Amino acid sequence: MATNTAQLLPLAIVAGMFILFLVSGLRTRKNQTTEYGFSGGYTGRVGIGASIASNWMSAASFMGLAGMFYLKGYYAMAFVVGWTGGYVLLLVLMATQIRRFGKYTTPDFVGFRYESDAARTLAALISIAITIIYSVAQFRGIALLVSWLFGIGYTPAVLVGASMVVSFVVISGTLGVARNQKLQYFVLITTFILPLMLLTRKLGYFWILPQFGYGAAIIDLQQQFGFCWSDPFSGNSPFQWLALCFTLMFGTAGLPHVLSRFYMVPGIRDARWGVVWGLAFIALIYWSAPVYGVLARLFEARAGLPFNAADANAADMVLLAAASLGGLPLWVIGLLAAGGISAAFSTTAGLLITGSASFSYDIYPRMIRPDASEADKVFAAKGFFLVLAVIVMVLTLKPWGMIVEIAAFAFALAGNTIFPAFLLGIWWCRANSAGVISGMLLGVVITFAPLIAGDAFPLIAALFPMTSSAFIGAPLVLLMMILVSLLTAPPSDSIRRFLRINVHDCPEE
Amino acid sequence: MKSETRVIKLILISWLTAIVGLQVYVYFLERNYSELLLNELTIFNLPVHFWLTGQFLPLWFIILCVLFNLWMDRHTTSSLEGTLRFRVGARSGEKQ
């Protein structure tokens, strides 16, 4: 997909899409509560679902997943199951109960539930780390698309992409633009599925539902080119598949910016049904993503192009490659690129803003400047936003994997730390601050252990793979939290009473 | 609360069984069938394991969420009705 010339028509489409979002956001801002222009409003349960889905859709879902299918076939289904199954955990274990705490951020929740400033600060630091890692995945997606759009190399594309993200946030914030998330989801799903329908129609497959039609492409690949997609675990073991799948599920139920969605919805019942709609909208993308991977392989085989399993950049750009090799018009490819950039931009902007808010409200006034005024906090948030953007940009220059692998690492960190803290915090009255602090610290160690000690100790890398460490890690963290909590003093009577009456709906004793 | 916990347990068991059970099934398919034959086993035009994992499981998750919500709606409505009856009765002096 590498070219040395700017793609003018796709660039115009990308610019047009952002102008559409800005204008639409300006028109609807009066009806919505805004916070740096990114909170969004809600109109009914479908609207809540669309907000959840558009908030969730990132470069990993839009671009990275297709690339993983292109490389590994069935094995990539672990991402589909992980990123949808996690919503069941969220709904039944967290969504209703979180709202009863009346806290708006992850550090707020941890600080209140565990009655500990240290736990709150640790949760804030972990939230910032998750923000950084997850944003690297998004920046990588943005850089690859910018590289293609402007016809420039990867490194300058990272710099241009980062400048674009910062400008986007500053302009949106200055103008007070609200996110029209229903429109955004509609645009994303259209730009994702329309090219698929055109491609499958061109191939003579069942194009009305390409999610089923691509089965014929799998057969064609096998019969015409001897390539088999049906090697389910693709050289990996079922343990590795399940470890990745459950890590993504635990991470989904522990990602701070996903959990925040439930605080903002007006009613508990709406929040619950919003999850169902959100899951259905998300599933629609995930039912479609494998098609791009399979079709890209088929087009490459037909064109006699060699398959390069080691080229992560090519795999992450497989979406555009499939459209281009399939001979779709440039405006359709431009739509795809615009959808990808839009998904990555909105996720990155939301993440960086959440991260900078964590710093300015949970760390800055507690650890750096205790007498900080509200104006100081806002200034700190703006400053830290830029610092975060620079850190993410530098890390993106040398990414450690494909888009979905980087994102999965952020999920592993959330699954090993925030998920156990919320789970026991909601469901077990005896969990205390010592338990949660030791548990979250263990979670951090487990997440980074394969990076630091994986080469020296192969057993660590085997049990806690970098992208899949929460499968064993999260239960270990839960165990640690339980043990330490039992060995130390119980939480105060007031918080236990709050949990019994307000969260668990038990009558007063 | 007890009934809510029971429903949550049921949902989680159905969720876990479907995920792990299907992968065990796919593992045995992989062991017992050649790649060629696996492609021949299709549901809705897709190889059986692609359909079961990629399409059925997300659909199953949606069904589980819908069932949970329907139960919660009924449960909260009946709890609310009980509370209202109690309040109305107490004020008007009706026997409960």
Side-chain angles (χ1 to χ4, degrees), chain A residues 47-57 87 261-262 271 274-275 278 282:
Chain A
I48 296 167
S51 302
I52 289 173
S54 79
N55 185 52
W56 175 260
M57 283 304 143
Y87 275 87
R261 306 311 297 178
F262 301 109
V275 174
I282 290 166

Side-chain angles (χ1 to χ4, degrees), chain A residues 288-413:
Chain A
S288 314
V291 192
Y292 279 106
V294 175
L295 293 188
R297 268 277 179 108
L298 180 63
F299 288 130
E300 276 187 0
R302 283 185 168 187
L305 295 170
F307 168 62
N308 184 359
D311 191 348
N313 283 1
D316 277 337
M317 286 291 275
V318 90
L319 209 66
L320 298 194
S324 173
L325 289 168
L328 291 187
L330 195 56
W331 66 268
V332 180
I333 304 174
L335 273 181
L336 258 179
I341 284 215
S342 157
F345 259 55
S346 59
T347 309
T348 312
L351 282 168
L352 293 180
I353 288 166
T354 312
S356 51
S358 277
F359 173 79
S360 64
Y361 287 96
D362 297 308
I363 295 175
Y364 182 68
R366 288 166 199 281
M367 296 175 74
I368 299 171
R369 199 170 158 190
D371 59 336
S373 65
E374 282 306 307
D376 292 335
K377 287 182 197 170
V378 172
F379 186 73
K382 287 177 180 170
F384 194 66
F385 172 83
L386 288 176
V387 171
L388 271 181
V390 171
I391 293 172
V392 173
M393 188 185 77
V394 170
L395 289 173
T396 312
L397 291 172
K398 283 259 177 224
W400 57 87
M402 289 173 63
I403 294 174
V404 282
E405 289 173 330
I406 301 168
F409 187 50
F411 278 75
L413 181 55

Side-chain angles (χ1 to χ4, degrees), chain B residues 4 7 11 16 20 24-25 28 31 44 49 51 53-55 57 59 65 67-69 71 93-94 96:
Chain B
E4 189 180 330
V7 170
I11 296 278
L16 188 68
V20 178
V24 171
Y25 174 65
F28 281 112
R31 301 256 312 197
F44 297 120
H49 51 303
W51 185 80
T53 305
Q55 300 201 339
L57 274 182
L59 188 65
C65 290
L67 290 176
F68 176 74
N69 277 353
W71 186 88
E94 286 171 13
Q96 295 299 308

